[in-house]
Amino acid sequence: SGKNYGLRDWMVAAGVTLGVTEFLLTGPTSSSSTATDSAVGYLFLLAFLALDGATSTFEEKLFKEQRTSKYNQMLYVNGISSVVSIVTLLVTGSLFPAFGFWGSHPMFMLDAAVLSAAAVGGQFFIFSLVKEFGALVFAATMNVRQVVSIIVSYIHFHHHITGLQVVGLSVVFGALFYKSLRALRDSAPAAKGAPTLPENAQQDLEASNNQENTKIK
């Protein structure tokens, strides 16, 4: 892509790589299910990281370039997701069995409604965070969430974790936090050096310009 990376960027990448490698090699990570193996899980994890990293970047791109609102994005994202889900159910022949499951388990709709409400609430805050503060702040916030999720998972499900795995996790999240904080500190002076008009003032200025153009005509 032609982008140059400094020594600190390479050190962050090396820290994340070494931390993940240490976590995978110094403790039990195999699944309790016999249907799959750990390699499949690693591939899914890599795919998740790649897609998750691209999501917030494209969301910010839509906010800046297309001037969309968070409600627009929520509507279109959820609408397209619904279409994809229905098409997938039709192609796999699972649509009618899904309705049959719904009929056999009346509480299913209540649980699904609660889950959907929680997902929409989380989505609202995600889009708000990306729109108001940018993808970088959102990434830093997600780092905190990931740390908390891993800790809660180990406590709740009584997973066994070794001391070296703790060190590996500390290295990974320490490197990610350092990268996020450094980027925030570097972007702060640039943001201060380019002041922008408040939204109301910008609208008043545009209205005034339109009136002047009308008078000239």
Side-chain angles (χ1 to χ4, degrees):
S1 62
K3 183 177 181 180
N4 296 322
Y5 295 93
L7 177 61
R8 285 185 290 187
D9 294 321
W10 285 105
M11 291 179 64
V12 169
V16 172
T17 303
L18 291 175
V20 171
T21 302
E22 181 179 2
F23 180 81
L24 296 177
L25 298 180
T26 57
T29 58
S30 59
S31 173
S32 58
S33 173
T34 57
T36 58
D37 54 25
S38 297
V40 177
Y42 298 153
L43 292 177
F44 284 151
L45 178 61
L46 291 176
F48 162 75
L49 292 175
L51 296 175
D52 186 62
T55 299
S56 59
T57 302
F58 280 104
E59 288 171 353
E60 185 177 16
K61 183 181 179 68
L62 287 173
F63 281 131
K64 290 184 176 180
E65 296 185 2
Q66 305 299 328
R67 304 294 182 182
T68 61
S69 68
K70 52 192 171 186
Y71 305 107
N72 293 140
Q73 291 205 39
M74 289 178 65
L75 174 63
Y76 292 125
V77 167
N78 292 324
I80 294 174
S81 298
S82 300
V83 172
V84 171
S85 298
I86 293 175
V87 171
T88 302
L89 289 173
L90 286 173
V91 171
T92 59
S94 303
L95 181 61
F96 294 106
F99 282 111
F101 180 85
W102 171 20
S104 302
H105 302 80
M107 292 299 296
F108 166 74
M109 284 304 297
L110 177 61
D111 294 337
V114 172
L115 180 61
S116 299
V120 170
Q123 196 177 51
F124 173 82
F125 288 111
I126 287 174
F127 281 120
S128 299
L129 188 61
V130 173
K131 182 177 182 180
E132 300 297 333
F133 300 99
L136 184 62
V137 175
F138 173 72
T141 305
M142 293 302 292
N143 287 338
V144 177
R145 183 196 67 82
Q146 289 168 356
V147 173
V148 174
S149 297
I150 290 175
I151 294 175
V152 171
S153 176
Y154 271 98
I155 294 175
H156 181 73
F157 295 103
H158 306 288
H159 293 310
H160 175 68
I161 184 171
T162 65
L164 290 176
Q165 283 185 307
V166 173
V167 174
L169 285 176
S170 301
V171 171
V172 171
F173 290 114
L176 292 176
F177 280 130
Y178 168 76
K179 180 181 179 181
S180 299
L181 291 175
R182 177 172 166 262
L184 285 173
R185 292 178 59 184
D186 292 343
S187 62
K192 292 181 180 179
T196 57
L197 290 174
E199 184 176 356
N200 293 336
Q202 182 69 27
Q203 293 176 353
D204 293 339
L205 180 60
E206 292 177 356
S208 177
N209 292 335
N210 292 334
Q211 291 177 357
E212 291 180 1
N213 293 333
T214 302
K215 291 179 180 179
I216 293 175
K217 293 180 180 179

